[in-house]
Amino acid sequence: MSGYLYEKDLSSMKYAILTSTRHDRMVREIADDLGIPQLRLRRYIMDQFDMLLMENLPARYEQGKRLTAEAPAAERDLKTHLYSRAVPLIQEEQMECIFSRVKEMMENGMPEKEAVSAGRRLIREAILA
């Protein structure tokens, strides 16, 4: 072996993981949920996650969906736990900021559905930025 493994470009291996059956289904669901093109989401995951996290994503996603179903209404609709802890697409601090803005919008009289929609838009922008 001429070089260290960690210096090697792992893009093809990461892509192979993300196109496997369970991973592909997860990526499709998240992309549809957030309104992000699948290829952009795959690229984001490949750039941000290491191999160990990527291999465990479907199990983490399923568990995150179960925990999200038990959360209060606004958190459930925004899927704060799912996208910041289970499948950490954005940092927890950033998600807390987004959720605070959503709560503030609702306190100022905006309907919950519209506030959650604005929060999802902020999540999408954070991922695509």
Side-chain angles (χ1 to χ4, degrees):
M1 186 173 206
S2 62
Y4 294 105
L5 181 62
Y6 63 83
E7 291 179 2
K8 196 172 188 179
D9 182 17
L10 302 176
S11 296
S12 62
M13 291 171 61
K14 287 181 173 186
Y15 186 76
I17 290 170
L18 284 178
T19 56
S20 68
T21 305
R22 290 184 67 212
H23 287 80
D24 184 58
R25 181 177 30 228
M26 178 203 66
V27 168
R28 288 175 187 273
E29 286 180 19
I30 293 172
D32 287 344
D33 186 44
L34 293 175
I36 298 173
Q38 293 174 26
L39 291 175
R40 294 276 309 268
L41 183 59
R42 276 194 186 95
R43 171 53 61 191
Y44 180 81
I45 291 172
M46 288 170 58
D47 291 343
Q48 300 296 320
F49 297 176
D50 63 15
M51 296 284 285
L52 183 61
L53 178 58
M54 283 181 62
E55 288 183 359
N56 293 311
L57 280 178
R60 293 172 61 106
Y61 178 68
E62 292 302 321
Q63 180 63 20
K65 286 195 319 187
R66 282 190 282 279
L67 292 174
T68 297
E70 300 168 2
E75 288 182 55
R76 181 180 57 239
D77 294 341
L78 196 55
K79 299 180 181 175
T80 57
H81 174 79
L82 185 62
Y83 296 135
S84 65
R85 291 184 206 109
V87 180
L89 295 173
I90 62 174
Q91 296 178 1
E92 288 186 47
E93 298 81 23
Q94 196 173 11
M95 181 60 86
E96 288 172 11
C97 231
I98 291 171
F99 187 62
S100 294
R101 289 183 66 188
V102 168
K103 285 194 306 189
E104 183 181 311
M105 287 181 221
M106 290 188 303
E107 289 169 359
N108 291 332
M110 182 180 279
E112 183 177 331
K113 189 174 183 177
E114 288 179 30
V116 168
S117 179
R120 294 171 82 63
R121 193 169 38 257
L122 293 171
I123 292 171
R124 183 173 42 252
E125 288 171 5
I127 292 170
L128 295 176

